[in-house]
Amino acid sequence: MQDKLTSLLEHLRATAADRDRTGGHAADEKSLLRQAGLLSWSIPARFGGLGKSWPEIYEVVRRVAEVDSALAHLLAFHHLQVATVLIYGNALQQEEWLSATAVHGLWWGNAMNPLDARLLAEDDGEGYILNGIKGYCSGTRGSLMMTLSAQHASSGKVLLAVLPTGRDGIDVRDDWDPIGQRQTDSGSVAFTRVRLERNEILRSPESVPTPFQTLRTCFAQLVLVNLYAGIASGALEEARRQANARAKPRVHADVTSIGEDPYMLHRFAEMHVQATAAGVLADRAAVLLQEAYSRHESLGAEQRGAVALAIAEAKVVAHRAALHAADELFEVTGARGTAAALGLDRYWRNIRTHSLHDPLDYKLAVIGRWSLNREFPEPTLYN
Amino acid sequence: MQDKLTSLLEHLRATAADRDRTGGHAADEKSLLRQAGLLSWSIPARFGGLGKSWPEIYEVVRRVAEVDSALAHLLAFHHLQVATVLIYGNALQQEEWLSATAVHGLWWGNAMNPLDARLLAEDDGEGYILNGIKGYCSGTRGSLMMTLSAQHASSGKVLLAVLPTGRDGIDVRDDWDPIGQRQTDSGSVAFTRVRLERNEILRSPESVPTPFQTLRTCFAQLVLVNLYAGIASGALEEARRQANARAKPRVHADVTSIGEDPYMLHRFAEMHVQATAAGVLADRAAVLLQEAYSRHESLGAEQRGAVALAIAEAKVVAHRAALHAADELFEVTGARGTAAALGLDRYWRNIRTHSLHDPLDYKLAVIGRWSLNREFPEPTLYN
Amino acid sequence: MQDKLTSLLEHLRATAADRDRTGGHAADEKSLLRQAGLLSWSIPARFGGLGKSWPEIYEVVRRVAEVDSALAHLLAFHHLQVATVLIYGNALQQEEWLSATAVHGLWWGNAMNPLDARLLAEDDGEGYILNGIKGYCSGTRGSLMMTLSAQHASSGKVLLAVLPTGRDGIDVRDDWDPIGQRQTDSGSVAFTRVRLERNEILRSPESVPTPFQTLRTCFAQLVLVNLYAGIASGALEEARRQANARAKPRVHADVTSIGEDPYMLHRFAEMHVQATAAGVLADRAAVLLQEAYSRHESLGAEQRGAVALAIAEAKVVAHRAALHAADELFEVTGARGTAAALGLDRYWRNIRTHSLHDPLDYKLAVIGRWSLNREFPEPTLYN
Amino acid sequence: MQDKLTSLLEHLRATAADRDRTGGHAADEKSLLRQAGLLSWSIPARFGGLGKSWPEIYEVVRRVAEVDSALAHLLAFHHLQVATVLIYGNALQQEEWLSATAVHGLWWGNAMNPLDARLLAEDDGEGYILNGIKGYCSGTRGSLMMTLSAQHASSGKVLLAVLPTGRDGIDVRDDWDPIGQRQTDSGSVAFTRVRLERNEILRSPESVPTPFQTLRTCFAQLVLVNLYAGIASGALEEARRQANARAKPRVHADVTSIGEDPYMLHRFAEMHVQATAAGVLADRAAVLLQEAYSRHESLGAEQRGAVALAIAEAKVVAHRAALHAADELFEVTGARGTAAALGLDRYWRNIRTHSLHDPLDYKLAVIGRWSLNREFPEPTLYN
């Protein structure tokens, strides 16, 4: 298993620069992740999955992110949708959808972007009719099932649901062309008179989320933390490869090998300390999240708040570690590292692209409210 | 127990500024630490101690450091000397000295400063005669037992030993007057024809330390990490107190309370993230140290190296967190915080004083050697 | 002249640590500054002064601040009050007070603290009666003349005036005991039924300041900039002295002299770059201020805004440079630098004390408003 | 003139993202620069040029760099080669080549890369025969004249010369495909049995450069400084445009417009302060360089050293300002700014590519040698 994973990671690493250049849908690599069994890690054993713990799942996401943060994003978002079903789904829904996921190894997509209010659900008997568009629907291309959020037309409140991606009226658009995270298929999905059945509803507009249910945001945030931490470690590892591949020390350095250049040692140490701190804080948050998750509906607001705080702390450190290492990598390569063919700028383009949905400033403010006022993060779309 | 500790910590906190001003020997406060049973935490139960784990011991050191990093230093150095006996002492030595420590609640001092080669040991039958001086002998004033290191006159190598502090010819000098860490009694100790018996030798000059024995440096370094991390948390807590005690927001701020000042939230968040990372990395290192320690002489060089690396990582983060919070504290208090009577500058003076024995630059270089060259820290006086 | 100044600076440097320890009034040193003719630099030649330009005056303030930022503060505040008379005073007032200043070499003090509204002026014929207290009245002890601001009791508006410090009812208190800037005599002044004559009024409560008059804030802010920049350069110079006085390189460094330690070179470079940038930006702001000042009442709001912006930019850089160098100094000295007798912590205590009246956060916000919104700093008490 | 330049800059700005995407030779834009008369700014009036001062020339380079740092690079390198002729050329050479430059508005290229020793010059009568390759020959494509450096085969020393780019045996290769600075044509030039005449030699292998001649390195370094400073200002200006184009404040911000977001103000202030400091230090260095240049061969080593130091100081600040603003720009745009079509990542790719030829670490070390040891930068290929 470990060997299989290692060789999969090596394959992703070796092809990442090329795939970054071409962008688009990574059908083959998604297939490899599926064949490696990675899609069923979050499916409980009772539904035929591997039933791994969340710390294990986040760790594998981070390892994939080290070599290819776009593929890691797809893998993590798959598990995030599974978590959504585990949190909001009733027993029947879980049984049906998660067993199918385990048996068929199917990918989950989503149309959940909470800031995008363009998708409307109009009452239609016991179900709804969906019309509108959602942006940033990472991973929906190539998925068989998807989660979604929509504005309930009459109440203005939000509902969550699950649909087969192939249902009539759903158009997964190929309109994702960003500077980084290029193979996450984070384009838009258009819904034209799409029927949503009652038993497809995860959360009805009128329901008020319990502390346990608001953990869904924590799961999502911890995905970002591990993607960032993975990019930090991956850029550092790339830096190490590039440095060790250099024949000569830097022109001004009075040393015989680059491994003795005092300033190079400092630059590596700085990257290392930040990447290590990011990983350790991410792991700590995953343990706390697992504990909170295992409480189910007995989870209290305070423990939920402590999890959200730990994730926010880890996110700040990981965000900075990734931006730092992705930029610093070039100090190690020198001018030769800027050849377009190497694509070494992809680490920076990836973290830069992925780090903007939720401004660091407001994550810090949330932490500041705890530190100064002892107010836990309020459960929101981002905390 | 917890209440007793809490009230002891509160007492130390309340008196810290005054004691920082006067400096000198904190006989009363050392007495309180002893009465609280804190001296026997590191003594194994078989010798009558409390037999706490090292993570627990480091945690209590850190909590003391939050309110008074000088007293925490004394407590930690006591345990460091106990660790020295546990690492280097034979069964008889451990039995004798550690049982006595547990029974009488006696304080350990030291004359171990590895960089100070002025203390010489001349052969004298089966023992030695000691002459010379050691500097930075923290905690020796008021101790009943002490560890020491001395240069063996004929071989130039170093021996380690234990002596009663009151032995004839030992003069514990009152010459410690620094800008910070003022009550650590880190003055010099003079030895004039002091007899050292064979059974007081912990490590003879000819012996080569095993990986297990070199853990002694790790124990010492992790003391520093926790003192730094404690100062970081303590300065942050002081900042919180000062902020909450302010009647009004800052003059330029368009908010109704200081807890809503957006920039104040950022400053607290920054202190909080750094202090949290320092604590989490310190805890992780303590767990790794405990695991390595429990291997005793079966400990291999690689596991020892991994412990040293984790401690170095934590030290860099804690060093910076403490300097940052100690300086930043004043942004929260504003000009009123600079009244000499408050003594709020002591956090900075404490960390500044304590952070200089082992330059951060070379700790980073050690980490860089691992990150770039995959070389573990070599066991030295500082790693 | 230059030699005389150099030797005065050297005298201040040599005695600064001792005087920092004792605090209190620096009568002797103030006398030396006076004898060196420094008090008349800002007095126009037509009143018998030296009529130096403001860039020259700020430069000498900065040079004094390099060796003793408390004395530099006194000198700068003297010139600031002279500037106040030049800006607000009528021809008669200028003639009377400034000629007297030039002839007698008298020191100016102040009770101008704009945030302290405790000093009230009640109408009394054509003048006023003053009652109340002002805090932070730097330099008033030992002065013969002083400026003051007071709240006009009936209108709530502020008036500015000049008084002989010795007038009946004025009590200059000896209540200044801070952690830094200890010899600035920045204590409080109490006014008990103090008579203020009509011809002592600089600005009546009903008057609205012109752009030219609001330059007074710019003069005050540029004092702070140059004190900070001087502390930065002074701490760097102290670092250089300490480094060059060291017999040996740092224990871990594989070099033969400290001047070859690669990390020491980086630490000096960092201090140097910041201190240099602070000085260059301070000089640029002084030139712009001189240009704006020379416009007198023809000065427009835009040019005034550009001056205020340049001063704000310089202040941010100088603030950081000073805090950085004052802390960094200890990396150079190592542990020996923490001896209380050396008093090397005074640089940090000085900048820390002096940098808090006007939070950096809101200075940055003012700059941000220009950068993002193209809004010049509004003339306020701090911009 | 000013309007013409403004409209040229606006044209470059408007097309920069597209041209960054396609890369390759910017023939049309180079033509526009030529038509605007910018090529003759450095040509003395006596040769028919505009005879602008170096501060003016560097300023226009910086302004071009704000909108397109690749084109600015070409323009600056043109003037650098002109400076090379002014420094090393004899009266006849200057007359011939610079008059031609002024009359025909011809572009200069180069094959001067000092680290690339592959181009050899063999003695051939009074001249030489050139064989080999030079890399990073920015601007040679499309040039009519070029400077070059070559290793003298028999002595191993370096000669400098000028050649018509079209001479037989010179092959300007189209092999430049980097991640940034994509239109600088910095590919390689191959020389196959190229004849170099005696009167084309600027510096013979046996000559030892005078302090004045070593200013050539200062001219080259100050080009980099201004390109970096321009990128910093340009990225900041782009950030301002993007922010002002946003319809709404950030999702978490409790403000009505983005111009009131307190954290946005801080981010802009930070970019602004750094970019301003970079520009001011660059201008100061240009003034010092002009003064040194005007001394010609009477220039002493000390004044030369002071110029090199000022350039190094400016370079450190500009390097950091550019990397910071280029990265920070995205905090302002949010996720929408990552659309590949906008090409906003070009600022970072440009500075990242251009900042690697001369590692920041060793520039800092040079500054450190001055600050700690009072050693001026030694005249080298980079200082």
Side-chain angles (χ1 to χ4, degrees), chain A residues 19-317:
Chain A
R19 290 184 290 102
D20 163 69
R21 230 180 323 272
T22 50
H25 186 59
D28 291 350
E29 288 70 25
K30 289 185 70 174
S31 221
L32 293 173
L33 293 175
R34 189 168 66 87
Q35 286 161 31
L38 289 168
L39 302 192
S40 65
W41 281 37
S42 56
I43 313 285
R46 68 181 184 277
F47 302 130
L50 287 176
K52 299 264 189 178
S53 71
W54 289 105
E56 290 170 297
I57 294 166
Y58 282 112
E59 195 204 351
V60 83
V61 164
R62 197 160 81 219
R63 292 186 60 194
V64 176
E66 287 173 9
V67 295
D68 185 332
S69 56
L71 270 291
H73 182 120
L74 292 173
L75 177 62
F77 266 54
H78 165 85
H79 291 303
L80 176 59
Q81 310 324 319
V82 171
T84 308
V85 172
L86 286 166
I87 285 172
Y88 281 107
N90 59 37
L92 222 60
Q93 291 173 323
Q94 292 185 9
E95 169 71 32
E96 180 186 342
W97 295 328
L98 299 185
S99 297
T101 304
V103 171
H104 305 302
L106 60 86
W107 279 93
W108 280 76
N110 83 92
M112 287 285 268
N113 179 6
L115 290 183
D116 189 340
R118 292 176 295 167
L119 180 56
L120 296 181
E122 285 173 271
D123 295 308
D124 183 55
E126 292 202 326
Y128 302 90
I129 296 291
L130 300 170
N131 279 292
I133 291 175
K134 275 277 180 184
Y136 294 115
C137 298
S138 302
T140 305
R141 172 167 304 275
S143 71
L144 284 180
M145 298 295 295
M146 66 188 293
T147 59
L148 64 85
S149 71
Q151 314 298 116
H152 182 214
S154 58
S155 71
K157 294 187 172 164
V158 171
L159 63 80
L160 305 184
V162 164
L163 277 179
T165 310
R167 177 153 303 174
D168 274 4
I170 297 181
D171 178 20
V172 181
R173 293 172 171 176
D174 184 12
D175 55 5
W176 179 241
D177 185 18
I179 61 170
Q181 293 291 86
R182 291 174 52 75
Q183 290 203 314
T184 59
D185 294 318
S186 300
S188 61
V189 174
F191 297 77
T192 310
R193 296 205 54 76
V194 176
R195 171 71 191 176
L196 182 63
E197 304 296 340
R198 183 187 187 175
N199 63 1
E200 292 168 333
I201 306 298
L202 282 177
R203 196 182 94 195
S204 62
E206 60 270 16
S207 78
V208 176
T210 63
F212 174 68
Q213 289 175 334
T214 66
L215 279 184
R216 204 265 174 195
T217 310
C218 298
F219 277 101
Q221 287 287 309
L222 197 49
V223 166
L224 296 177
V225 171
N226 281 284
L227 294 178
Y228 299 177
I231 292 174
S233 296
L236 170 54
E237 176 59 21
E238 182 77 55
R240 214 171 65 79
R241 282 172 181 263
Q242 296 290 339
N244 286 321
R246 282 181 76 141
K248 293 185 300 185
R250 298 193 283 183
V251 62
H252 310 269
D254 185 24
V255 294
T256 53
S257 79
I258 202 161
E260 297 298 319
D261 182 330
Y263 301 127
M264 204 55 92
L265 293 177
H266 261 204
R267 291 191 180 272
F268 271 90
E270 193 61 49
M271 287 189 273
H272 178 88
V273 167
Q274 291 193 31
T276 299
V280 170
L281 289 170
D283 286 343
R284 164 180 171 259
V287 168
L288 293 175
L289 177 57
Q290 179 71 49
E291 286 171 10
Y293 174 76
S294 67
R295 295 275 175 120
H296 287 96
E297 289 296 350
S298 70
L299 178 68
E302 190 158 330
Q303 188 177 357
R304 193 273 178 203
V307 171
L309 182 66
I311 292 172
E313 292 159 357
K315 196 173 179 195
V316 168
V317 173

Side-chain angles (χ1 to χ4, degrees), chain B residues 257-321:
Chain B
S257 80
I258 201 159
E260 296 299 319
D261 182 330
Y263 300 127
M264 203 57 91
L265 293 177
H266 261 204
R267 290 192 180 273
F268 271 90
E270 193 61 48
M271 287 189 273
H272 178 87
V273 167
Q274 291 194 31
T276 298
V280 170
L281 288 170
D283 287 343
R284 165 180 171 258
V287 168
L288 293 175
L289 178 58
Q290 179 72 47
E291 286 170 11
Y293 175 76
S294 67
R295 296 274 176 121
H296 287 96
E297 289 297 350
S298 71
L299 178 67
E302 189 158 329
Q303 188 177 356
R304 194 271 178 205
V307 171
L309 182 66
I311 292 172
E313 292 160 356
K315 196 173 178 193
V316 168
V317 173
H319 176 117
R320 291 169 172 175

Side-chain angles (χ1 to χ4, degrees), chain D residues 34 36-52 78-79 82 86 91 93-106:
Chain D
R34 190 168 65 90
L38 289 167
L39 301 192
S40 65
W41 281 38
S42 56
I43 314 285
R46 67 181 184 276
F47 302 132
L50 288 176
K52 300 260 191 179
H78 165 85
H79 291 303
V82 171
L86 287 167
Q93 291 174 322
Q94 292 185 8
E95 168 71 33
E96 179 185 342
W97 297 326
L98 300 184
S99 296
T101 304
V103 171
H104 306 300
L106 61 83

Side-chain angles (χ1 to χ4, degrees), chain C residues 244-264:
Chain C
N244 287 322
R246 280 182 75 142
K248 294 184 301 184
R250 297 193 285 183
V251 62
H252 310 268
D254 186 24
V255 293
T256 52
S257 80
I258 202 160
E260 296 298 318
D261 182 330
Y263 301 127
M264 204 55 91

Side-chain angles (χ1 to χ4, degrees), chain B residues 181-201:
Chain B
Q181 292 293 84
R182 291 174 52 75
Q183 290 202 314
T184 60
D185 294 318
S186 300
S188 62
V189 174
F191 296 77
T192 310
R193 296 205 55 76
V194 176
R195 171 71 190 175
L196 181 62
E197 303 297 339
R198 184 187 187 176
N199 63 1
E200 292 168 333
I201 306 298

